[in-house]
Structures are given as C-alpha cells and as structure tokens.
Amino acid sequence: MRRGVAFAAGIALAIGIVLGAVVAAAGLLGGSGGGDDPRSGLDADTARFTYGDRSAEVDLIECAVDGETFVAAGRRGAMVLQVGVDLGESGAERSGVTMDLGGGDGTFGAFGAGLPLGPAGTFSRIERVGDSVVVEADWVPMDPDTLAPIEGTGATPLAGGLVARCPETDPAAD
C-alpha cells in the first residue's frame, strides 16, 4: 500500500513540475506581457506617448503599415497625436511625430532632416515590435499652429518615446 502512495505522490509531483514549466514558458512567449517590453499593458489601437517622466495615452483613430511606412492618428479629449515614420534604414531622416497634449500642456514632437519641418528633436530608435511601432526620441516643444520648434524659451528637449499598437486586421472580417 505504501508503495502505491509513494508512486501517486511521485506522479503528482511530476505533473506539478510540467505544469509549472508550461505556465512559465507561456509567460515568456506571451509577447507584451511585462518585463521591459514597452508594449506592456497597452490595448490594441492605442498609443502611449512619453515625455520626460510623464505619459499620455490616446485611442488610435487610424493606423496602418504600408511596406516600411507607418502612419497613425490618435485622439483622446483635447490630446491629438500624428505619426508618420519610416521603418527602413535611415528612416529617422524621413520620420515625424507630434503630440498636442491639450489643456495648455503644450505640443511636443520631432522631425527628421528629410522633412520640410525638420530637423527638430532627434530620433534614437524607430522599430516594429510585433504589432506595435516603438519610437525613442528627444521631443522638442513646438508651436501648436505651425509645428515649428519653439526656440529661445529655455525649453530643453525631453527624452521620451511612443509606442503605437496597431494590430493587423483580417480583411475577411471586414
């Protein structure tokens, strides 16, 4: 009898170890679940704009990837986001991001030198990560009407970034 109890305990222990390994592997393969993944906690069709130690999220009204070009527009309340980035080699030269934070909090952004409003601010990373586009930049304050960088005010660029989660849609579902 004792032998049967020991055997059953051994089987239960083995099942527990296998289940624990499966759960751990699922957590590692889960994509945007946590850790250092910039997409953590970001819903589909949403963008998070960070500037300094603050951040703001907007709902994406439109977002699309066409080849190496990603475009998006988003809004939440008085906040408005516009994104056009080139995901290709030297894409920072042809990229632009602006975020009007609404409520008198200002407009920030960056434009590459290859754009008419550039250069303004600097991009240090533009890449696609799963169903998201991740941008790291130094944002500069901008005139909300002209999107020209505001100079001479003592305002310094703010380190920050943008994560825009734009899952592909299934054309058959439309």
Side-chain angles (χ1 to χ4, degrees), residues 115-168:
L115 297 181
L117 295 172
T122 56
F123 293 103
S124 56
R125 174 183 176 201
I126 299 174
E127 109 179 273
R128 191 157 184 196
V129 178
D131 65 357
S132 300
V133 170
V134 178
V135 175
E136 292 176 1
D138 286 330
W139 309 122
V140 295
M142 299 184 151
D143 180 286
D145 297 320
T146 65
L147 299 181
I150 298 174
E151 297 178 22
T153 62
T156 58
L158 290 173
L162 168 77
V163 179
R165 186 160 173 238
C166 183
E168 292 184 32

Side-chain angles (χ1 to χ4, degrees), residues 56-80:
E57 287 189 11
V58 296
D59 301 313
L60 293 176
I61 299 164
E62 294 291 333
C63 61
V65 177
D66 183 15
E68 293 185 333
T69 303
F70 173 77
V71 293
R75 160 173 226 140
R76 181 169 288 166
M79 296 184 292
V80 178

Side-chain angles (χ1 to χ4, degrees), residues 3-81:
R3 196 172 187 179
V5 171
F7 179 74
I11 293 292
L13 179 62
I15 290 172
I17 290 171
V18 169
L19 286 176
V22 167
V23 169
L28 291 173
L29 297 174
S32 59
D36 293 331
D37 190 333
R39 302 170 295 161
S40 295
L42 196 60
D43 290 334
D45 300 314
T46 305
R48 180 184 304 123
F49 182 87
T50 59
Y51 53 110
D53 61 354
R54 302 182 343 180
S55 67
E57 287 189 11
V58 296
D59 301 313
L60 293 176
I61 299 164
E62 294 291 333
C63 61
V65 177
D66 183 15
E68 293 185 333
T69 303
F70 173 77
V71 293
R75 160 173 226 140
R76 181 169 288 166
M79 296 184 292
V80 178
L81 172 71

Side-chain angles (χ1 to χ4, degrees), residues 67-125:
E68 293 185 333
T69 303
F70 173 77
V71 293
R75 160 173 226 140
R76 181 169 288 166
M79 296 184 292
V80 178
L81 172 71
Q82 300 176 89
V83 181
V85 295
D86 185 329
L87 299 165
E89 190 173 325
S90 301
E93 296 292 314
R94 298 172 299 280
S95 295
V97 174
T98 62
M99 176 71 166
D100 181 342
L101 294 162
D105 289 336
T107 300
F108 292 90
F111 291 103
L115 297 181
L117 295 172
T122 56
F123 293 103
S124 56
R125 174 183 176 201

